[in-house]
Amino acid sequence: EVQLVESGGGLVQPGRSLRLSCTASGFTFGDYAMSWIRQAPGKGLEWVAFIRNKAYSGTTEYAASLRGRFTISRDDSKTIAYLQMNSLNTEDTAVYYCARGGGSARYYFDYWGQGTLVTVSS
Amino acid sequence: QSALTQPASVSGSPGQSITISCTGTSTDIVGYNYVSWYQQHPGKAPKLMIYDVSKRPSGLSNRFSGSKSGNTASLTISGLQAEDEADYYCTSYSHSAHVVFGGGTKLTVL
């Protein structure tokens, strides 16, 4: 059974950093691209970033609105995808979902985690 | 403002069919067959319903179908059931933005 479990969310002050983790199981992690997608309270879904698998050199892509503040990475040996978020502001408050897919000619998200809430507030 | 345009809400009675539209541009829907649709119930994670315009994940009801014509993709739900009441989002690969989402459509089963 495919499982994705996010962790690392919480309350953080504006300007600070936070790192989210997505621990995967039930599939060959290294064969798939992984993505982060967020949802602000009461709002729609917003794609954040994806990282391709090793076959596509593990390259990354980001939403333009993030302006280089976020970094996605992966550790295939631990089957974990990460999202490093810097210079957080109140507009980054959202539930952050990890999802399988999003790159490597597989532009859909077939499995999602339960999400982790990030609240940016002083 | 979302890159893809969806109606804010649609409604239908049990047993009826409804269609949700998703309008894009030449840099996304028109140019690529990478449209997907997601169902989200309140407080839950989204669930993949349709991928690559019209493909259904294994085990998903054939009441859900997808199509595309020009710059508009569509999700059709036939034989509407109470449990179909949810928010629905479309997404597409975009040449300029990689992945774009629609703003979401709230489906109400009357």
Side-chain angles (χ1 to χ4, degrees), chain A residues 37 39 43-47 50 52 61-63 97 102 105-115, chain B residues 34-36 38 40 43-48 50-52 89 91-93 97-103:
Chain A
I37 296 151
Q39 187 170 36
K43 302 297 184 182
L45 299 170
E46 178 187 17
W47 171 72
F50 67 67
R52 297 179 177 89
E61 305 292 352
Y62 299 90
Y97 293 102
R106 190 184 171 90
Y107 292 101
Y108 56 90
F109 313 104
D110 55 357
Y111 288 94
W112 297 62
Q114 83 288 352
Chain B
Y34 290 134
V35 177
S36 53
Y38 302 85
Q40 186 180 35
K44 301 295 187 181
K47 175 185 176 182
L48 176 68
I50 295 289
Y51 68 99
D52 293 352
Y89 294 90
T91 187
S92 173
Y93 172 77
H98 305 294
V99 178
V100 288
F101 273 93

Side-chain angles (χ1 to χ4, degrees), chain B residues 6-53:
Chain B
Q6 297 180 234
S9 63
V10 299
S11 63
S13 300
Q16 288 186 331
S17 294
I18 63 95
T19 296
I20 300 173
S21 62
C22 172
T23 303
T25 69
S26 59
T27 62
D28 40 67
I29 289 179
V30 174
Y32 305 94
N33 289 322
Y34 290 134
V35 177
S36 53
W37 291 88
Y38 302 85
Q39 176 192 67
Q40 186 180 35
H41 288 108
K44 301 295 187 181
K47 175 185 176 182
L48 176 68
M49 307 303 283
I50 295 289
Y51 68 99
D52 293 352
V53 177

Side-chain angles (χ1 to χ4, degrees), chain A residues 76-87:
Chain A
D76 289 354
S77 67
K78 296 182 179 178
T79 69
I80 300 177
Y82 300 99
L83 184 67
Q84 177 69 40
M85 304 184 295
N86 299 330
S87 302

Side-chain angles (χ1 to χ4, degrees), chain A residues 1-106:
Chain A
E1 179 193 7
V2 172
Q3 285 196 317
L4 300 173
V5 179
E6 301 95 337
S7 59
L11 176 63
V12 61
Q13 293 180 327
R16 304 297 292 266
S17 299
L18 203 61
R19 188 178 80 160
L20 306 182
S21 299
C22 169
T23 302
S25 61
F27 65 101
T28 304
F29 184 75
D31 286 350
Y32 291 86
M34 297 297 296
S35 298
W36 287 94
I37 296 151
R38 68 182 181 181
Q39 187 170 36
K43 302 297 184 182
L45 299 170
E46 178 187 17
W47 171 72
V48 172
F50 67 67
I51 182 166
R52 297 179 177 89
N53 61 8
K54 191 163 50 178
Y56 288 80
S57 304
T59 51
T60 58
E61 305 292 352
Y62 299 90
S65 62
L66 298 178
R67 290 180 293 175
R69 295 186 298 119
F70 289 14
T71 301
I72 189 172
S73 60
R74 63 189 297 158
D75 185 332
D76 289 354
S77 67
K78 296 182 179 178
T79 69
I80 300 177
Y82 300 99
L83 184 67
Q84 177 69 40
M85 304 184 295
N86 299 330
S87 302
L88 286 162
N89 58 61
T90 56
E91 294 180 344
D92 296 317
T93 293
V95 174
Y96 284 74
Y97 293 102
C98 166
R100 190 176 80 168
S104 311
R106 190 184 171 90

